[in-house]
Amino acid sequence: MGRLMKAEWYRLKHSSGLFKLVIAIGIVSVAFIYLTELDIDLDVSKYSLAEHLNESTEMYFFIIYCLAVISAVIIGTSYTNKLAYYEVMAGNKISAILLSKVLVSAVFLTVVYSVFLDLYWAVIGMSNGVGEITQLSLRFILLAVVFFHVCSTSIFMATAIQHTAGAVFSYLRFSGFDILLVFCIELFGNFSQEINTKISDWFVMFELSTVLRCEAKITNHLVFASVFGMLIEAVIWYVISYVRMKKKLYN
């Protein structure tokens, strides 16, 4: 496992400029958040952190889409360049191959984007105050959980599809699947508002929206659903990827 992780880290740092691209997109994403708010109100420099988050929800969705695509591309390029096949040919365990990719790429992406946003939140909070937002530390932890959920799922989707085209599927997964499924549940499920809220807690885009809304309380159910929802989806795609690699059904 250690050798595979070192190889994965080396490939990430030296493969087609992906390492620099990740850093650049992280910086640009944070800049876009501020510029989007500035476009709404030229006096945005006086906004509290709570006001900043309320005004920038759509840009955080954009960051999710970027993470989904980048994660899949990082892994997909190794299949396009035929590098991923050597991992299997060398006799490595499939479980070790899959986990090494998540433990390197997903953790790296989560840390990079979390640090950028942590610094952004800190600067705004120290400059203008946090405003009405509460449970700030818990919100940031859940934001990192959402990032890791997106990255790990996208990586497993890429190892299942075994092509850079996995980026398209991961984008579609996080850009529309959650919203469409929750909409259908609310439309045809005939549940109470409380039940609908608890159902939406299990879906990434609604988790993110709750984290960013200062009036929304972070409940124990949301924390539970965020963590276990991530684990459930990761296991599903892990199994699919494992079966694909076990049968050696490469494109």
Side-chain angles (χ1 to χ4, degrees), residues 22-251:
V22 169
I23 302 297
I25 292 179
I27 295 173
V28 170
S29 296
V30 174
F32 274 1
I33 292 175
Y34 187 81
L35 291 174
T36 301
E37 295 166 354
L38 190 63
D39 185 56
I40 296 173
D41 187 352
L42 292 176
D43 203 24
V44 70
S45 59
K46 296 182 179 180
Y47 279 8
S48 67
L49 178 59
E51 292 171 320
H52 271 278
L53 295 180
N54 283 337
E55 294 292 340
S56 58
T57 301
E58 290 185 2
M59 284 307 303
Y60 280 84
F61 289 164
F62 171 76
I63 291 176
I64 292 297
Y65 305 151
C66 285
L67 283 172
V69 172
I70 292 171
S71 300
V73 168
I74 287 174
I75 304 304
T77 52
S78 64
Y79 287 99
T80 303
N81 298 331
K82 309 299 181 181
L83 297 175
Y85 304 132
Y86 292 106
E87 298 170 342
V88 178
M89 293 168 61
N92 295 297
K93 292 183 178 180
I94 294 176
S95 58
I97 294 172
L98 294 174
L99 292 177
S100 67
K101 296 181 184 301
V102 170
L103 292 176
V104 173
S105 297
V107 170
F108 170 70
L109 288 168
T110 300
V111 169
V112 168
Y113 278 74
S114 295
V115 167
F116 281 138
L117 289 172
D118 192 12
L119 292 173
Y120 178 72
W121 287 23
V123 169
I124 298 299
M126 289 187 293
S127 300
N128 306 326
V130 299
E132 300 176 355
I133 196 167
T134 59
Q135 302 172 291
L136 191 55
S137 298
L138 184 56
R139 289 176 191 272
F140 193 78
I141 291 172
L142 281 181
L143 183 64
V145 170
V146 168
F147 286 172
F148 189 76
H149 183 164
V150 173
C151 294
S152 58
T153 298
S154 299
I155 287 171
F156 283 138
M157 290 179 73
T159 55
I161 297 171
Q162 299 175 2
H163 197 277
T164 50
V168 176
F169 290 91
S170 61
Y171 172 79
L172 293 175
R173 156 67 186 91
F174 290 105
S175 65
F177 177 79
D178 283 5
I179 296 174
L180 178 61
L181 187 56
V182 171
F183 173 76
C184 291
I185 291 173
E186 292 181 352
L187 183 63
F188 301 109
N190 197 28
F191 298 121
S192 66
Q193 183 60 42
E194 181 181 0
I195 296 299
N196 284 334
T197 299
K198 289 186 179 296
I199 291 174
S200 65
D201 283 350
W202 288 87
F203 295 90
V204 170
M205 304 312 289
F206 292 90
E207 293 167 4
L208 178 60
S209 179
T210 301
V211 168
L212 299 176
R213 284 188 291 114
C214 62
E215 70 274 11
K217 182 180 180 182
I218 305 299
T219 63
N220 292 334
H221 182 269
L222 177 64
V223 174
F224 176 86
S226 299
V227 174
F228 280 88
M230 174 185 66
L231 294 176
I232 290 170
E233 185 163 17
V235 168
I236 291 172
W237 283 105
Y238 170 87
V239 171
I240 295 173
S241 296
Y242 189 95
V243 172
R244 282 273 290 163
M245 296 180 73
K246 188 73 173 178
K247 293 182 176 181
K248 296 183 175 62
L249 298 178
Y250 295 109
N251 293 324

